[in-house]
Amino acid sequence: MAKPAIELIETRQGCEMLETTLRYNVMLRGVKVGQLFYNMRGYAGSLPTPEGRSLYVPEGGISRFRREVAILNREFAAADKTAETK
């Protein structure tokens, strides 16, 4: 099975001294393209799309972002498969 295009990696990078929740680096094919951070009501941030845009996901739990990453990884796989056949 191919490696997923987008991964969320737990990190303490960028955290303030008293920040208790983890942050997540958004990795696109091994390169950091963003970071999710915990805001007052949930995690906030954006995710890359196969079209080269950023998908903003409203504040929510990390599980919401993981679901979106799974959907986007399927879209990346389909785009890569289409590019291979051309």
Side-chain angles (χ1 to χ4, degrees):
M1 182 172 201
K3 186 175 179 183
I6 303 173
E7 295 178 289
L8 298 179
I9 309 293
E10 290 182 358
T11 185
R12 293 287 303 163
Q13 177 187 13
C15 289
E16 298 298 329
M17 189 180 302
L18 297 175
E19 195 170 333
T20 59
T21 56
L22 291 173
R23 291 184 178 209
Y24 290 85
N25 285 339
V26 179
M27 307 295 281
L28 177 61
R29 294 191 166 101
V31 177
K32 180 181 169 188
V33 294
Q35 190 174 63
L36 305 179
F37 59 93
Y38 194 82
N39 208 355
M40 296 297 287
R41 295 177 291 184
Y43 281 92
S46 59
L47 301 170
T49 64
E51 296 84 26
R53 297 181 179 171
S54 290
L55 173 67
Y56 173 75
V57 180
E59 291 179 3
I62 194 65
S63 61
R64 183 177 194 175
F65 280 91
R66 287 189 174 133
R67 281 191 299 266
E68 289 297 328
V69 165
I71 293 167
L72 288 170
N73 278 333
R74 286 192 291 272
E75 290 178 13
F76 271 103
D80 290 346
K81 192 173 186 179
T82 303
E84 288 177 3
T85 59
K86 288 185 179 181

